[in-house]
PDB file of all heavy atoms in Angstrom:
ATOM      1  N   ARG A 212     104.119  75.992 122.200  1.00  0.00           N
ATOM      2  CA  ARG A 212     103.019  75.064 122.493  1.00  0.00           C
ATOM      3  C   ARG A 212     103.066  73.849 121.573  1.00  0.00           C
ATOM      4  O   ARG A 212     102.761  72.734 121.991  1.00  0.00           O
ATOM      5  CB  ARG A 212     101.684  75.794 122.365  1.00  0.00           C
ATOM      6  CG  ARG A 212     101.408  76.726 123.541  1.00  0.00           C
ATOM      7  CD  ARG A 212     100.002  77.267 123.550  1.00  0.00           C
ATOM      8  NE  ARG A 212      99.787  78.279 122.531  1.00  0.00           N
ATOM      9  CZ  ARG A 212      99.017  78.145 121.468  1.00  0.00           C
ATOM     10  NH1 ARG A 212      98.388  76.997 121.259  1.00  0.00           N
ATOM     11  NH2 ARG A 212      98.871  79.121 120.598  1.00  0.00           N
ATOM     12  N   ALA A 213     103.446  74.054 120.315  1.00  0.00           N
ATOM     13  CA  ALA A 213     103.588  72.914 119.408  1.00  0.00           C
ATOM     14  C   ALA A 213     104.729  72.002 119.856  1.00  0.00           C
ATOM     15  O   ALA A 213     104.619  70.769 119.782  1.00  0.00           O
ATOM     16  CB  ALA A 213     103.836  73.413 117.984  1.00  0.00           C
ATOM     17  N   ALA A 214     105.820  72.612 120.336  1.00  0.00           N
ATOM     18  CA  ALA A 214     106.946  71.810 120.824  1.00  0.00           C
ATOM     19  C   ALA A 214     106.556  71.024 122.075  1.00  0.00           C
ATOM     20  O   ALA A 214     106.934  69.854 122.233  1.00  0.00           O
ATOM     21  CB  ALA A 214     108.141  72.713 121.097  1.00  0.00           C
ATOM     22  N   ARG A 215     105.805  71.664 122.982  1.00  0.00           N
ATOM     23  CA  ARG A 215     105.359  70.958 124.194  1.00  0.00           C
ATOM     24  C   ARG A 215     104.409  69.814 123.861  1.00  0.00           C
ATOM     25  O   ARG A 215     104.312  68.846 124.615  1.00  0.00           O
ATOM     26  CB  ARG A 215     104.676  71.933 125.155  1.00  0.00           C
ATOM     27  CG  ARG A 215     105.635  72.899 125.836  1.00  0.00           C
ATOM     28  CD  ARG A 215     105.004  73.526 127.068  1.00  0.00           C
ATOM     29  NE  ARG A 215     103.809  74.295 126.720  1.00  0.00           N
ATOM     30  CZ  ARG A 215     103.789  75.605 126.486  1.00  0.00           C
ATOM     31  NH1 ARG A 215     104.940  76.287 126.515  1.00  0.00           N
ATOM     32  NH2 ARG A 215     102.671  76.229 126.206  1.00  0.00           N
ATOM     33  N   ALA A 216     103.713  69.943 122.715  1.00  0.00           N
ATOM     34  CA  ALA A 216     102.805  68.871 122.308  1.00  0.00           C
ATOM     35  C   ALA A 216     103.553  67.697 121.688  1.00  0.00           C
ATOM     36  O   ALA A 216     102.937  66.674 121.393  1.00  0.00           O
ATOM     37  CB  ALA A 216     101.787  69.412 121.308  1.00  0.00           C
ATOM     38  N   GLY A 217     104.880  67.825 121.522  1.00  0.00           N
ATOM     39  CA  GLY A 217     105.673  66.712 121.011  1.00  0.00           C
ATOM     40  C   GLY A 217     106.221  66.899 119.619  1.00  0.00           C
ATOM     41  O   GLY A 217     106.890  65.997 119.096  1.00  0.00           O
ATOM     42  N   MET A 218     105.984  68.054 118.994  1.00  0.00           N
ATOM     43  CA  MET A 218     106.513  68.294 117.658  1.00  0.00           C
ATOM     44  C   MET A 218     107.948  68.794 117.731  1.00  0.00           C
ATOM     45  O   MET A 218     108.310  69.533 118.650  1.00  0.00           O
ATOM     46  CB  MET A 218     105.644  69.312 116.908  1.00  0.00           C
ATOM     47  CG  MET A 218     104.241  68.854 116.605  1.00  0.00           C
ATOM     48  SD  MET A 218     103.348  70.039 115.566  1.00  0.00           S
ATOM     49  CE  MET A 218     104.280  69.921 114.023  1.00  0.00           C
ATOM     50  N   ALA A 219     108.759  68.388 116.759  1.00  0.00           N
ATOM     51  CA  ALA A 219     110.127  68.893 116.645  1.00  0.00           C
ATOM     52  C   ALA A 219     110.082  70.147 115.783  1.00  0.00           C
ATOM     53  O   ALA A 219     110.220  70.092 114.555  1.00  0.00           O
ATOM     54  CB  ALA A 219     111.030  67.829 116.026  1.00  0.00           C
ATOM     55  N   VAL A 220     109.881  71.287 116.409  1.00  0.00           N
ATOM     56  CA  VAL A 220     109.688  72.528 115.682  1.00  0.00           C
ATOM     57  C   VAL A 220     110.631  73.589 116.218  1.00  0.00           C
ATOM     58  O   VAL A 220     110.841  73.712 117.426  1.00  0.00           O
ATOM     59  CB  VAL A 220     108.217  73.004 115.786  1.00  0.00           C
ATOM     60  CG1 VAL A 220     107.776  73.131 117.234  1.00  0.00           C
ATOM     61  CG2 VAL A 220     107.999  74.300 115.022  1.00  0.00           C
ATOM     62  N   THR A 221     111.241  74.343 115.312  1.00  0.00           N
ATOM     63  CA  THR A 221     112.171  75.416 115.680  1.00  0.00           C
ATOM     64  C   THR A 221     111.739  76.703 114.982  1.00  0.00           C
ATOM     65  O   THR A 221     111.118  76.680 113.910  1.00  0.00           O
ATOM     66  CB  THR A 221     113.611  75.078 115.263  1.00  0.00           C
ATOM     67  OG1 THR A 221     113.661  74.831 113.852  1.00  0.00           O
ATOM     68  CG2 THR A 221     114.110  73.849 116.015  1.00  0.00           C
ATOM     69  N   LEU A 222     112.090  77.821 115.603  1.00  0.00           N
ATOM     70  CA  LEU A 222     111.725  79.137 115.085  1.00  0.00           C
ATOM     71  C   LEU A 222     112.981  79.956 114.859  1.00  0.00           C
ATOM     72  O   LEU A 222     113.824  80.067 115.759  1.00  0.00           O
ATOM     73  CB  LEU A 222     110.799  79.857 116.068  1.00  0.00           C
ATOM     74  CG  LEU A 222     110.471  81.318 115.760  1.00  0.00           C
ATOM     75  CD1 LEU A 222     109.700  81.436 114.438  1.00  0.00           C
ATOM     76  CD2 LEU A 222     109.678  81.951 116.902  1.00  0.00           C
ATOM     77  N   GLU A 223     113.114  80.530 113.653  1.00  0.00           N
ATOM     78  CA  GLU A 223     114.215  81.422 113.332  1.00  0.00           C
ATOM     79  C   GLU A 223     113.617  82.768 112.904  1.00  0.00           C
ATOM     80  O   GLU A 223     112.777  82.819 112.010  1.00  0.00           O
ATOM     81  CB  GLU A 223     115.063  80.858 112.174  1.00  0.00           C
ATOM     82  CG  GLU A 223     115.691  79.509 112.461  1.00  0.00           C
ATOM     83  CD  GLU A 223     116.448  78.977 111.263  1.00  0.00           C
ATOM     84  OE1 GLU A 223     116.656  79.764 110.303  1.00  0.00           O
ATOM     85  OE2 GLU A 223     116.815  77.787 111.263  1.00  0.00           O
ATOM     86  N   ARG A 224     114.089  83.843 113.550  1.00  0.00           N
ATOM     87  CA  ARG A 224     113.580  85.175 113.223  1.00  0.00           C
ATOM     88  C   ARG A 224     114.729  86.091 112.865  1.00  0.00           C
ATOM     89  O   ARG A 224     115.754  86.138 113.560  1.00  0.00           O
ATOM     90  CB  ARG A 224     112.780  85.768 114.385  1.00  0.00           C
ATOM     91  CG  ARG A 224     111.604  84.922 114.831  1.00  0.00           C
ATOM     92  CD  ARG A 224     110.620  85.699 115.666  1.00  0.00           C
ATOM     93  NE  ARG A 224     109.914  86.696 114.864  1.00  0.00           N
ATOM     94  CZ  ARG A 224     108.726  87.198 115.194  1.00  0.00           C
ATOM     95  NH1 ARG A 224     108.108  86.803 116.304  1.00  0.00           N
ATOM     96  NH2 ARG A 224     108.138  88.094 114.426  1.00  0.00           N
ATOM     97  N   ASN A 225     114.553  86.824 111.785  1.00  0.00           N
ATOM     98  CA  ASN A 225     115.542  87.791 111.345  1.00  0.00           C
ATOM     99  C   ASN A 225     114.833  89.104 111.033  1.00  0.00           C
ATOM    100  O   ASN A 225     113.784  89.111 110.387  1.00  0.00           O
ATOM    101  CB  ASN A 225     116.271  87.302 110.076  1.00  0.00           C
ATOM    102  CG  ASN A 225     116.990  85.985 110.293  1.00  0.00           C
ATOM    103  OD1 ASN A 225     117.858  85.871 111.148  1.00  0.00           O
ATOM    104  ND2 ASN A 225     116.636  84.974 109.508  1.00  0.00           N
ATOM    105  N   GLY A 226     115.412  90.188 111.505  1.00  0.00           N
ATOM    106  CA  GLY A 226     114.820  91.486 111.234  1.00  0.00           C
ATOM    107  C   GLY A 226     113.961  91.987 112.372  1.00  0.00           C
ATOM    108  O   GLY A 226     113.809  91.327 113.412  1.00  0.00           O
ATOM    109  N   PRO A 227     113.358  93.159 112.212  1.00  0.00           N
ATOM    110  CA  PRO A 227     112.551  93.761 113.286  1.00  0.00           C
ATOM    111  C   PRO A 227     111.281  92.970 113.549  1.00  0.00           C
ATOM    112  O   PRO A 227     110.744  92.297 112.676  1.00  0.00           O
ATOM    113  CB  PRO A 227     112.228  95.159 112.734  1.00  0.00           C
ATOM    114  CG  PRO A 227     112.324  95.017 111.254  1.00  0.00           C
ATOM    115  CD  PRO A 227     113.402  94.006 111.008  1.00  0.00           C
ATOM    116  N   GLU A 228     110.794  93.069 114.796  1.00  0.00           N
ATOM    117  CA  GLU A 228     109.579  92.356 115.208  1.00  0.00           C
ATOM    118  C   GLU A 228     108.493  93.321 115.656  1.00  0.00           C
ATOM    119  O   GLU A 228     107.590  92.944 116.406  1.00  0.00           O
ATOM    120  CB  GLU A 228     109.902  91.381 116.340  1.00  0.00           C
ATOM    121  CG  GLU A 228     110.952  90.340 115.990  1.00  0.00           C
ATOM    122  CD  GLU A 228     111.229  89.382 117.131  1.00  0.00           C
ATOM    123  OE1 GLU A 228     110.418  89.378 118.083  1.00  0.00           O
ATOM    124  OE2 GLU A 228     112.237  88.650 117.079  1.00  0.00           O
ATOM    125  N   ASP A 229     108.563  94.567 115.198  1.00  0.00           N
ATOM    126  CA  ASP A 229     107.631  95.584 115.674  1.00  0.00           C
ATOM    127  C   ASP A 229     106.570  95.928 114.630  1.00  0.00           C
ATOM    128  O   ASP A 229     106.105  97.067 114.546  1.00  0.00           O
ATOM    129  CB  ASP A 229     108.381  96.852 116.080  1.00  0.00           C
ATOM    130  CG  ASP A 229     109.230  97.413 114.926  1.00  0.00           C
ATOM    131  OD1 ASP A 229     109.388  96.707 113.912  1.00  0.00           O
ATOM    132  OD2 ASP A 229     109.727  98.544 115.064  1.00  0.00           O
ATOM    133  N   ALA A 230     106.196  94.947 113.823  1.00  0.00           N
ATOM    134  CA  ALA A 230     105.175  95.202 112.795  1.00  0.00           C
ATOM    135  C   ALA A 230     103.826  95.472 113.448  1.00  0.00           C
ATOM    136  O   ALA A 230     103.585  95.153 114.621  1.00  0.00           O
ATOM    137  CB  ALA A 230     105.076  94.012 111.841  1.00  0.00           C
ATOM    138  N   ALA A 231     102.923  96.066 112.678  1.00  0.00           N
ATOM    139  CA  ALA A 231     101.586  96.374 113.193  1.00  0.00           C
ATOM    140  C   ALA A 231     100.823  95.084 113.469  1.00  0.00           C
ATOM    141  O   ALA A 231     101.129  94.009 112.925  1.00  0.00           O
ATOM    142  CB  ALA A 231     100.823  97.236 112.180  1.00  0.00           C
TER     143      ALA A 231
END
Side-chain angles (χ1 to χ4, degrees):
R212 285 190 286 112
R215 288 198 299 265
M218 295 186 67
V220 55
T221 57
L222 172 63
E223 300 177 11
R224 302 197 69 157
N225 300 301
E228 301 181 14
D229 57 349

